[in-house]
């Protein structure tokens, strides 16, 4: 696959933005590179416009990122500040103002929106009813003191957790609430319905990410078409290889935003720990619920 043509994975300009911030010498809070890279990638994979390699910020784009998308994919480590994502957006706002892409009034408004939406996003990251499997297991790994930089240690812990029966695994999820890692999901706590919803959220989040990657690739290919160059073989008729490549890149990005390698392990080696129900499983669950 010609990755230079397809350009699936975002190649964010986080380093350039940090260098600009350092050169500008303004009095601002430091911005961590990882959250900045995540913000730039998610903005690029959204439906907003790009200009000279930078996402164009609007009120809608800021809300979409911090309120609707961030909690689908991101699980900060315990030592990381969840407010860093809003800070990263504010840095991008300043950069767009310096590039004359925003006037002073819009800069001020977007700053304020990024600040309060960033606070909302930090709260959403604690909500147990919004987690996906990669995010939930990232929290579990941190809570149990696993070295998340060691893939062998992550696999070993998952192997042990997979050896527990369903009741004990559910108890493990429940234990994250009183210890302060997550907020209470609802009065019913963890059960089959909650597991079902986490699986559905995980499937939906990953599909959205894959679609964003493919949409981004098509955007990059528009220039090839305009120049009269042929489409890559992956897009010339049979899309299965293209879709498979997008799925692979999506797993890598999900790992970058939670624990490296974890989402792939859950899909390929431990699917029983992270079930994603199909239509039959959903219908079967709904059928056994008491009528309202």
């Amino acid at each position: 696959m010609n990755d230079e043509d397809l350009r699936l994975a975002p190649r964010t300009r986080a380093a350039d933005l940090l260098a600009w911030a350092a050169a500008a010498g303004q009095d601002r809070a430091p911005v961590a590179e990882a959250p900045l890279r995540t913000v730039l990638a998610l903005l690029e994979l959204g439906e907003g416009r790009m200009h000279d390699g930078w996402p164009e910020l609007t009120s809608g784009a800021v809300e979409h990122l911090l309120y609707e998308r961030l909690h689908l994919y991101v699980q900060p480590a315990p030592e990381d500040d969840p407010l860093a994502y809003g800070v990263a957006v504010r840095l991008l706002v300043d950069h767009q103002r310096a590039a004359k892409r925003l006037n002073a009034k819009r800069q001020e408004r977007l700053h304020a929106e990024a600040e309060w939406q960033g606070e909302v996003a930090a709260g959403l990251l604690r909500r147990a009813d919004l987690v996906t499997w990669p995010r939930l297991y990232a929290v579990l790994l941190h809570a149990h003191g696993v070295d998340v930089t060691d893939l062998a240690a992550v696999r070993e812990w998952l192997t042990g957790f997979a050896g527990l029966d369903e009741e004990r695994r559910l108890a493990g999820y429940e234990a994250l609430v009183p210890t302060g890692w997550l907020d209470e999901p609802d009065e019913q706590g963890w059960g089959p319905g909650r597991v079902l919803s986490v699986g559905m959220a995980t499937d939906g989040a990953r599909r959205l990410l894959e679609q964003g990657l493919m949409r981004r690739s098509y955007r990059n290919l528009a220039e090839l078409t305009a120049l009269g160059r042929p489409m890559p073989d992956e897009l010339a008729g049979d899309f299965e290889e293209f879709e498979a490549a997008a799925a692979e890149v999506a797993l890598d990005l999900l790992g970058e935003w939670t624990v490296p390698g974890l989402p792939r392990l859950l899909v390929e080696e431990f699917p029983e720990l992270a079930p994603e129900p199909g239509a039959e499983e959903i219908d079967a669950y709904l059928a056994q619920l008491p009528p309202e």
Side-chain angles (χ1 to χ4, degrees):
M1 176 168 290
N2 188 341
D3 185 56
E4 286 302 314
D5 282 345
L6 294 176
R7 290 286 303 276
L8 277 166
R11 300 178 186 178
T12 67
R13 301 176 63 182
D16 293 343
L17 191 50
L18 289 173
W20 171 83
Q26 298 181 25
D27 183 19
R28 61 161 54 87
V31 180
E33 183 173 356
L36 179 60
R37 193 167 55 244
T38 300
V39 161
L40 290 171
L42 286 173
L43 284 170
E44 187 171 349
L45 293 174
E47 298 181 3
R49 298 175 58 185
M50 300 288 293
H51 182 83
D52 291 338
W54 299 101
E56 290 194 2
L57 286 181
T58 63
S59 295
V62 171
E63 181 179 9
H64 187 66
L65 167 71
L66 295 175
Y67 184 70
E68 298 180 23
R69 288 297 175 93
L70 194 71
H71 69 266
L72 294 177
Y73 304 114
V74 172
Q75 186 55 56
E79 65 273 14
D80 293 338
D81 183 4
L83 295 175
Y85 302 96
V87 174
V89 173
R90 296 201 298 275
L91 175 60
L92 184 57
V93 170
D94 290 343
H95 179 266
Q96 289 202 348
R97 168 62 177 157
K100 303 187 186 308
R101 303 292 301 174
L102 300 172
N103 59 34
K105 185 176 181 179
R106 287 186 63 201
Q107 178 192 24
E108 182 179 0
R109 184 176 72 248
L110 287 174
H111 250 284
E113 291 173 355
E115 183 172 5
W116 75 263
Q117 289 280 5
E119 293 173 356
V120 170
L124 296 178
L125 290 173
R126 290 191 51 82
R127 283 180 50 176
D129 62 326
L130 296 179
V131 296
T132 57
W133 288 125
R135 289 192 55 224
L136 179 61
Y137 278 98
V139 173
L140 282 166
L141 289 165
H142 288 303
H144 286 264
V146 179
D147 181 1
V148 296
T149 66
D150 183 347
L151 189 61
V154 171
R155 181 183 282 109
E156 180 180 1
W157 187 88
L158 290 174
T159 300
F161 198 69
L164 303 178
D165 59 30
E166 183 181 16
E167 184 178 355
R168 293 177 68 187
R169 290 204 298 267
L170 291 176
Y173 307 149
E174 289 274 13
L176 293 170
V177 175
T179 55
W181 289 90
L182 289 176
D183 295 334
E184 185 74 40
D186 54 35
E187 64 276 4
Q188 296 180 349
W190 283 91
R194 177 63 53 203
V195 169
L196 192 77
S197 68
V198 175
M200 293 170 62
T202 302
D203 176 71
R206 193 173 63 248
R207 289 178 186 273
L208 277 173
L209 185 55
E210 292 170 5
Q211 291 167 8
L213 288 164
M214 289 189 284
R215 184 169 57 246
R216 177 186 183 279
S217 184
Y218 280 119
R219 221 164 36 219
N220 293 329
L221 288 167
E223 183 178 351
L224 295 182
T225 304
L227 294 173
R229 292 175 57 188
M231 295 281 275
D233 292 341
E234 296 83 4
L235 302 183
D238 187 351
F239 292 88
E240 290 185 3
E241 187 176 352
F242 182 43
E243 292 173 338
E248 291 292 309
V249 173
L251 286 176
D252 291 338
L253 284 173
L254 290 171
E256 181 180 328
W257 299 332
T258 53
V259 169
L262 171 63
R264 187 176 298 278
L265 285 175
L266 292 175
V267 168
E268 297 179 354
E269 299 185 31
F270 299 95
E272 73 279 11
L273 291 183
E276 297 179 22
E280 291 184 5
E281 290 88 348
I282 295 172
D283 289 342
Y285 173 76
L286 294 176
Q288 55 91 36
L289 291 178
E292 295 183 358

